[in-house]
Amino acid sequence: MPRADAARNRSLLIDAASAELSEHGLDVSIARIAARAGVAKGTVFNHFSSKEELVSAIFCDQLDTLAATGEILLGQTDPGSALLQFMTAGAELQANDRAFCEAATAASRAHPAIRAASDRLAQVAEALTARARQAGVVRADVTGHDIVLLLNAPTRIAAPLAAARSDLWRRYLRLIFDGLRPEAAHELPVAAPTNEDFTTAATR
């Protein structure tokens, strides 16, 4: 197959898989993805060794896109607004993409590409959080890892009412963000998670 055709087919597969996963979650079949892309089922395995590899590639792209958004926000003059916009982008991605939240839960950080993309995202989140801490916008013990984990919270909280109120997660995101402010902060009972915690969790 000519290189241009192979690149085109890979692009079609990524787009089709992203759409199918977003709409139907991780249980969507390879046959359905191939049909949406307009290629033979075997073509999928010419580019990806398994469905898991295809999902991992898409998940990594999503993590990289979110990290890139965070890097842009680092240029904003208002650290609090920048952090809130980053958290909004992460929560909105999950609200609009059913598979992202599932992949975030199921994906193993033992996968080299996912680990690298997750680390990049955590670094950006920490840079944004550090600016907010220094500006006194969030409490002094909040870390980038805290923020990454909190990105899952708004959509999960609002999930029981998502069919009736698709934007309800925005209410809970703002409640979460207000809860990060230092004015009413109390000492937390346990320390923030570390890179080692994420690595340990991925191997169990």
Side-chain angles (χ1 to χ4, degrees):
M1 177 184 295
R3 184 175 300 175
D5 289 344
R8 175 178 173 274
N9 283 343
R10 181 183 174 86
S11 178
L12 288 171
L13 283 169
I14 290 289
D15 290 346
S18 295
E20 287 291 331
L21 290 165
S22 175
E23 294 169 11
H24 305 291
L26 294 180
D27 290 336
V28 68
S29 68
I30 287 292
R32 183 163 182 155
I33 291 170
R36 185 160 186 159
V39 301
K41 183 177 177 180
T43 302
V44 179
F45 296 108
N46 289 336
H47 293 276
F48 302 96
S49 60
S50 65
K51 178 182 172 182
E52 288 71 25
E53 285 297 315
L54 173 57
V55 171
S56 294
I58 294 169
F59 186 49
C60 286
D61 283 348
Q62 292 169 322
L63 292 175
D64 285 340
T65 297
L66 186 55
T69 297
E71 289 171 350
I72 293 171
L73 290 169
L74 283 170
Q76 287 200 358
T77 56
D78 184 337
S81 175
L83 182 59
L84 178 57
Q85 287 182 63
F86 174 73
M87 294 179 71
T88 301
E92 188 165 28
L93 173 60
Q94 296 182 67
N96 294 334
D97 189 332
R98 178 178 169 184
F100 183 84
C101 189
E102 293 177 14
T105 301
S108 172
R109 280 177 57 88
H111 190 292
I114 291 176
R115 184 169 64 249
S118 297
D119 288 345
R120 286 193 294 273
L121 181 63
Q123 289 168 7
V124 173
E126 175 55 33
L128 287 163
T129 306
R131 293 178 72 231
R133 287 197 305 264
Q134 292 163 8
V137 177
V138 299
R139 50 191 293 163
D141 53 359
V142 173
T143 71
H145 286 308
D146 288 325
I147 297 301
V148 170
L149 289 176
L150 285 171
L151 297 180
N152 293 323
T155 52
R156 287 180 177 271
I157 292 168
L161 296 177
R165 296 280 302 280
S166 61
D167 63 345
L168 188 60
W169 62 268
R170 295 181 184 276
R171 173 183 176 86
Y172 297 103
L173 173 61
R174 188 55 63 92
L175 284 170
I176 289 167
F177 191 77
D178 283 350
L180 298 175
R181 297 187 185 278
E183 290 85 357
H186 294 82
E187 184 177 354
L188 296 173
V190 297
T194 65
N195 283 331
E196 289 73 18
D197 292 328
F198 283 93
T199 300
T200 300
T203 58
R204 290 184 176 177

